[in-house]
Amino acid sequence: PRMRITPRAGLRLLNTRTSSTTSTAGSRDGSSAVVAAMAARLPSIFGRAWAQAKEIPDVKVNLVRLNSIGTFVVSLAPWGVPLGLVAGWMVWPALTPSFKTETLGMKAAPSGTVFKFEKESVGENCELVQGSVK
């Protein structure tokens, strides 16, 4: 169960001082009680403000729009990985070698490697004439 602290209870927490907080004012132990009390009050403060804001007609309309967009995006979630793979497949050839090495951190291609293929006629397999594949 969630503990609900009313504003008065929060003030009582702020006003209570233990021997460790009075002897070391401003220390980590003393400030932690204050931080805990304020953190406990934040949900009630923002909760009330959010409840009031949700009653404004324009906010209601935008919340309905946001909810419908959210459900649409969630329905597309299973397609995220396949679409990402297709986009990567399409974009990869357009990336420059310097972008791949500098931004993506890939190894640079060995310099001086030249691949040369010869094809005699239509329908034949290409034959590697120069260079090597390691």
Side-chain angles (χ1 to χ4, degrees):
R2 195 169 165 187
M3 187 171 121
R4 183 172 171 95
I5 296 182
T6 62
R8 284 190 181 186
L11 286 176
R12 268 188 259 126
L13 281 173
L14 284 174
N15 291 330
T16 57
R17 289 183 176 253
T18 61
S19 60
S20 67
T21 60
T22 54
S23 63
T24 56
S27 72
R28 190 171 218 147
D29 294 333
S31 63
S32 65
V34 173
V35 170
M38 292 304 291
R41 288 192 63 207
L42 283 177
S44 65
I45 292 170
F46 290 118
R48 264 182 286 153
W50 178 243
Q52 290 172 354
K54 285 195 305 188
E55 297 304 317
I56 300 171
D58 290 341
V59 174
K60 282 183 176 180
V61 169
N62 288 327
L63 285 174
V64 169
R65 285 182 184 160
L66 189 63
N67 189 19
S68 65
I69 290 171
T71 54
F72 177 71
V73 169
V74 167
S75 70
L76 292 179
W79 289 93
V81 171
L83 289 176
L85 290 172
V86 168
W89 185 264
M90 302 276 229
V91 169
W92 186 256
L95 299 178
T96 62
S98 64
F99 180 82
K100 292 177 184 177
T101 56
E102 294 169 9
T103 307
L104 301 179
M106 297 181 63
K107 271 182 138 177
S111 60
T113 305
V114 177
F115 294 100
K116 190 172 183 183
F117 296 94
E118 283 187 7
K119 189 172 181 180
E120 295 294 325
S121 63
V122 177
E124 277 188 26
N125 290 334
C126 294
E127 198 172 302
L128 183 61
V129 187
Q130 183 182 354
S132 64
V133 180
K134 294 181 183 180

